[in-house]
Amino acid sequence: MSLDAAEDESTSEIHIPAEIDWDMLDKSKFFFLGAALFSGVSTALYPIVVLKTRLQVSATKVSCFKMSYSIMRHEGLRGFYRGFGTSLMGTIPARAFYMAALEVTKSGVGSATIKLGFSDTTAMAIANAAAGLSSAMAAQLVWTPIDVVSQRLMVQGCNINAKTSVSNLNSCVYKNGIDAFRKIIYADGLRGLYRGFGISILTYAPSNAVWWTSYSVAHRLIWSGLGYYTSKKDESCISGGYGFKADSKATVAVQGLSAALASGVSAIITMPLDTIKTRLQVLDGEENGQRRPLTALQTVRNLVKEGGLNACYRGLGPRWASMAMSATTMITTYEFLKRLSTKNQDCSSR
């Protein structure tokens, strides 16, 4: 059976592999297990995020190896986990917002586009793009304040070593996340916690849209190339979910490869915005002898002086690696989580 033929059949739905919709999930299990699984993933990948952040705020070009060596030599392993507690606490509610918005939007937009007459392939791409946008915006309401606090803690060790020092680094010394939260509120008010919120939306919303669209397309193309095609619901129904011919190892491999490819596309497109966002949230400027938050225009001008477009792509390697590893583990964990959280249903209920 060809993919084109599958799309022409109005009674068939594409599930490559078995697609699990929002209505099929046990929500309490989904969020509880999600918090535990994604916290573990965040713990493993956090050092790469710290490395990427330090490279982005550096005024000079520093290699990943030199920056890593400097952190380990002057701060030890603890330097790679600065701000981790704050980040982890924020990850749980942010992930809850993210996953809820993602699944609700994907399910709703997917159904609507199919009713409008779009092919399953096109409908899935549109649904994933819309889901990426909505989930990023929902998560940023929680994540931006956590990002500001955790990133300030991440870069506190920059000036320990003269070779990696940052001249415009915020002069406040924070003991921990709570102390940083209190001092930022005192100095800048609530606006201080949402510093860079606009650019965060401009960064993560298109980044998520590009990622989920690229992932959806890559996912389907790889399965098609391997010879796995569509089957009707009533032909593939088995106890506990939809049947599909691919084994679990093939499923994980395809998900991982699709995620890595999508991460590369997303990282290259949105890297300049991410660098501007990080600098806005961490660095200050001077005006009449007083330190003030940098504006987006000042940040861009500084980057142009430091090396133009190349300066915008400092930390691309760690960001790409972080996104690829994070996305690969996240998507396989995410799909695994959805299967763990699926309600017990009979074929007749479908």
Side-chain angles (χ1 to χ4, degrees):
M1 181 180 181
S2 68
L3 187 58
D4 291 334
E7 291 179 355
D8 290 337
E9 293 187 18
S10 60
T11 56
S12 66
E13 292 186 12
I14 293 180
H15 299 283
I16 309 175
E19 186 70 21
I20 298 172
D21 296 325
W22 177 250
D23 293 335
M24 298 168 60
L25 296 175
D26 181 330
K27 308 304 186 298
S28 58
K29 186 187 290 186
F30 181 66
F31 288 120
F32 178 77
L33 291 175
L37 290 171
F38 287 123
S39 294
V41 172
S42 298
T43 302
L45 298 176
Y46 193 79
I48 301 177
V49 178
V50 172
L51 179 61
K52 181 223 43 146
T53 303
R54 295 255 184 130
L55 288 169
Q56 286 181 313
V57 301
S58 175
T60 57
K61 188 175 181 179
V62 182
S63 70
C64 295
F65 176 77
K66 285 184 178 179
M67 183 64 78
S68 300
Y69 177 76
S70 175
I71 295 173
M72 183 59 73
R73 181 183 177 186
H74 295 92
E75 304 168 61
L77 186 61
R78 186 178 179 183
F80 285 100
Y81 280 91
R82 284 183 180 271
F84 176 67
T86 301
S87 179
L88 186 61
M89 287 186 66
T91 295
I92 295 172
R95 283 288 169 195
F97 274 96
Y98 184 91
M99 291 188 294
L102 182 74
E103 287 300 319
V104 170
T105 306
K106 193 190 298 184
S107 179
V109 174
S111 299
T113 49
I114 287 175
K115 288 178 181 178
L116 289 173
F118 288 95
S119 68
D120 289 328
T121 304
T122 304
M124 187 173 289
I126 294 172
N128 276 285
L133 282 168
S134 67
S135 59
M137 294 178 71
Q140 284 308 307
L141 292 172
V142 176
W143 189 249
T144 297
I146 299 300
D147 214 17
V148 170
V149 173
S150 63
Q151 285 186 147
R152 297 235 183 151
L153 292 169
M154 284 180 200
V155 302
Q156 270 199 147
C158 281
N159 292 340
I160 292 176
N161 181 11
K163 293 182 180 179
T164 61
S165 63
V166 180
S167 58
N168 290 333
L169 194 63
N170 190 283
S171 57
C172 285
V173 177
Y174 307 115
K175 297 177 182 177
N176 49 49
I178 295 175
D179 183 54
F181 181 87
R182 182 177 58 81
K183 287 179 178 177
I184 291 170
I185 287 287
Y186 179 78
D188 302 320
L190 189 62
R191 286 185 61 185
L193 291 175
Y194 279 91
R195 193 164 159 177
F197 178 72
I199 196 73
S200 293
I201 294 294
L202 289 176
T203 300
Y204 291 121
S207 177
N208 268 270
V210 169
W211 193 95
W212 280 103
T213 304
S214 301
Y215 174 79
S216 174
V217 172
H219 194 242
R220 296 179 64 83
L221 287 175
I222 293 170
W223 278 120
S224 298
L226 293 173
Y228 293 94
Y229 297 106
T230 308
S231 61
K232 296 181 183 180
K233 281 184 179 183
D234 57 358
E235 292 174 351
S236 60
C237 188
I238 60 173
S239 179
Y242 297 119
F244 56 99
K245 296 179 181 179
D247 60 25
S248 58
K249 290 182 180 178
T251 300
V252 171
V254 171
Q255 288 171 347
L257 181 57
S258 302
L261 291 172
S263 297
V265 175
S266 182
I268 291 172
I269 291 174
T270 61
M271 186 67 197
L273 286 172
D274 188 64
T275 299
I276 294 169
K277 174 198 74 72
T278 300
R279 289 190 166 215
L280 279 173
Q281 292 178 329
V282 172
L283 303 182
D284 287 331
E286 275 199 28
E287 187 178 326
N288 300 324
Q290 292 184 332
R291 282 188 172 268
R292 295 183 181 277
L294 287 169
T295 64
L297 185 59
Q298 288 173 326
T299 303
V300 172
R301 284 175 178 169
N302 289 342
L303 285 168
V304 170
K305 289 178 184 178
E306 292 171 19
L309 191 61
N310 286 336
C312 293
Y313 279 89
R314 282 178 191 153
L316 175 62
R319 184 169 187 246
W320 190 332
S322 173
M323 285 184 69
M325 287 189 286
S326 176
T328 300
T329 52
M330 287 290 184
I331 197 65
T332 50
T333 301
Y334 178 66
E335 295 293 346
F336 176 64
L337 169 64
K338 286 171 69 175
R339 299 187 197 290
L340 285 179
S341 306
T342 306
K343 298 173 184 175
N344 291 325
Q345 297 183 17
D346 297 324
C347 289
S348 59
S349 67
R350 301 181 184 129

